[in-house]
Amino acid sequence: MEKLFLKDDEVILLDKGNYTEVINQIDTETQWVKVFYKEVQVLGLDNAPILLDEIKGEIGLVSRDDVIVSCMENVGVCLQLPINNKKETVPVSTIGYTGLVARAGFGGPALNYEESNKRLPMPPCDRAEVLNAGLSTFKDSEASFGYALIRYERNDAFHSSEYSILPVSELLMQVEDSLEFNYSNWAFIDGSVSPSFTSLRWQINDAHLEAEIKKILNKKDDFKLGMVLLTSDTGTSSAKIYLTLQGKSGNPILIGRPQSMLHKNGNSAKNFGKCADALTSSVRDVLSLMQTLTQKKCLHVGGAIRLFANRLRLPKRFAMTVAADYEAGYPQGASFYEVFIALQDVIYLYQCDAENATPEKVFELSEAVSSILY
């Protein structure tokens, strides 16, 4: 298979034919390096592709040329650290740079690598010097280390010693083992993976559940129950799994409270199956919450949509469009279920029309809307 993640913002779409192969390949290319901060040296990397061969020889860069040039054009620093008892130099990606700055104990705009309205970026070698100074302040102790994520010949993350590694392939296996134990008929539907975010979605084919959902929603829509796994190994948020409702088209609707596992406290992906099992146990409670929405009347549908959209920070332009459509369609009011579905329509419009509508951002909005159920 060809190299993945040639760009920091690359998104790979998954389907039932390729998802295990892609996830396993990424796992194979992923290396976590435990490194003491005082063993790390940050090196500046000037934007000079014409001198690429000379720079590679000078600082010992062995990554692919396209990875190095991308680092030159963006972050402009690389890490020299011990890997397998040998010092190696790897470029830092735009995703990994945030973690590096955090490990050095800095924040604010001074170390930004991009020009802003008020500031020019600090030269790469100067930023490297500042970052090295920050890393050098750590005391000699058992906790003065972090975990560097090396993937596809670059550094994509630098986490603290408290970080717990939860490989996506193990999370996936735990979810599918839970589905196999709890349901007789289920299937992987789709997903996406990028350097900073992974989503994996399954559908549960259960005639009794489908009939119950139709009864609860008064046959308003033809939905199937499912699950979606959301995780990231470059960020520090939890690995989460949600119940979903999936219609014939549109995004999966996240319903209820997620089950989650923090990337700390010594957590292991091998125990994530308990989260999926707990989610299965909560199905009836979540459907009961959905039923409550169908029973509560909303007299001013458009106003409710605008109010929720504002509080949940949904994109205003799309919220106004949906609110106007629902006001015209429900002049006498409707149930709060219709308001809930309208908020899903806002997200769908955003996904279809916005240039920056990444899967990560779409699910972030979906999680916000789901929170109104609890």
Side-chain angles (χ1 to χ4, degrees):
M1 185 183 289
E2 75 277 5
K3 291 286 185 182
L4 305 179
F5 300 155
L6 299 181
K7 297 179 181 178
D8 290 359
D9 58 354
E10 181 179 357
V11 176
I12 300 165
L13 299 179
L14 304 175
D15 57 42
K16 61 184 67 177
N18 73 351
Y19 78 105
T20 53
E21 183 181 6
V22 171
I23 295 297
N24 287 334
Q25 189 205 346
I26 293 171
D27 236 24
T28 301
E29 294 283 350
T30 297
Q31 183 179 11
W32 289 95
V33 181
K34 178 181 176 180
V35 58
F36 285 88
Y37 296 127
K38 290 192 175 182
E39 297 177 324
V40 178
Q41 185 174 7
V42 186
L43 305 175
L45 195 60
D46 289 319
N47 189 5
I50 195 171
L51 301 175
L52 182 60
D53 290 337
E54 182 179 335
I55 292 172
K56 286 168 64 175
E58 183 178 335
I59 62 175
L61 273 170
V62 294
S63 301
R64 302 193 319 270
D65 288 355
D66 59 314
V67 174
I68 299 171
V69 171
S70 175
C71 179
M72 285 180 170
E73 294 173 344
N74 293 289
V75 174
V77 298
C78 49
L79 285 183
Q80 192 173 78
L81 67 169
I83 301 177
N84 298 326
N85 298 318
K86 184 178 70 173
K87 278 209 168 185
E88 294 189 20
T89 306
V90 291
V92 177
S93 70
T94 55
I95 311 159
Y97 186 71
T98 303
L100 174 59
V101 172
R103 296 288 71 73
F106 295 111
L111 288 172
N112 287 354
Y113 56 85
E114 292 181 313
E115 182 177 345
S116 67
N117 292 334
K118 295 183 179 180
R119 289 176 178 267
L120 291 170
M122 192 185 297
C125 289
D126 291 348
R127 280 188 288 117
E129 189 175 341
V130 172
L131 292 168
N132 283 324
L135 291 170
S136 70
T137 62
F138 280 92
K139 296 179 180 178
D140 291 324
S141 72
E142 293 183 359
S144 296
F145 69 89
Y147 294 101
L149 169 58
I150 311 299
R151 184 163 52 204
Y152 290 107
E153 304 175 31
R154 66 186 187 190
N155 168 240
D156 270 351
F158 200 170
H159 295 300
S160 73
S161 58
E162 298 177 347
Y163 188 79
S164 294
I165 300 166
L166 305 177
V168 177
S169 59
E170 291 186 21
L171 296 173
L172 180 156
M173 183 172 63
Q174 289 292 313
V175 173
E176 295 199 335
D177 284 349
S178 174
L179 286 167
E180 186 68 26
F181 179 80
N182 289 293
Y183 299 100
S184 59
N185 191 349
W186 58 272
F188 179 83
I189 300 301
D190 58 25
S192 66
V193 60
S194 72
S196 61
F197 182 72
T198 297
S199 67
L200 303 170
R201 189 164 64 93
W202 294 266
Q203 180 173 289
I204 298 165
N205 300 306
D206 186 308
H208 295 293
L209 272 176
E210 290 165 28
E212 187 172 345
I213 292 169
K214 274 194 172 185
K215 180 181 178 181
I216 286 173
L217 301 181
N218 299 319
K219 299 184 179 180
K220 293 176 184 293
D221 293 289
D222 186 16
F223 283 123
K224 287 182 178 290
L225 192 70
M227 291 185 182
V228 63
L229 167 66
L230 309 175
T231 188
S232 169
D233 53 14
T234 59
T236 55
S237 60
S238 306
K240 303 174 187 175
I241 185 166
Y242 279 89
L243 286 173
T244 64
L245 290 179
Q246 177 63 59
K248 294 180 179 178
S249 61
N251 293 322
I253 299 173
L254 274 55
I255 55 173
R257 193 185 300 274
Q259 293 292 324
S260 60
M261 177 177 282
L262 291 171
H263 281 275
K264 62 179 185 179
N265 301 329
N267 284 330
S268 169
K270 293 179 180 178
N271 296 322
F272 194 70
K274 295 177 183 177
C275 294
D277 289 341
L279 204 66
T280 295
S281 301
S282 70
V283 168
R284 262 62 188 193
D285 292 337
V286 174
L287 292 180
S288 178
L289 289 174
M290 294 295 294
Q291 186 173 31
T292 301
L293 289 184
T294 68
Q295 296 168 345
K296 289 188 176 181
K297 182 80 171 179
C298 176
L299 296 177
H300 304 287
V301 177
I305 293 169
R306 285 187 285 268
L307 178 64
F308 277 116
N310 182 55
R311 289 184 176 179
L312 300 173
R313 298 185 178 181
L314 302 186
K316 185 175 180 179
R317 175 164 63 95
F318 304 114
M320 292 302 178
T321 299
V322 171
D325 289 345
Y326 272 72
E327 275 180 329
Y330 297 94
Q332 304 302 317
S335 73
F336 272 96
Y337 170 79
E338 271 75 25
V339 174
F340 182 72
I341 294 300
L343 297 175
Q344 309 295 334
D345 291 344
V346 174
I347 299 172
Y348 185 68
L349 287 181
Y350 166 77
Q351 181 182 13
C352 293
D353 291 356
E355 292 182 0
N356 62 339
T358 62
E360 185 172 6
K361 181 62 178 176
V362 169
F363 275 111
E364 181 183 317
L365 297 176
S366 298
E367 288 188 88
V369 172
S370 175
S371 69
I372 69 176
L373 287 175
Y374 55 90

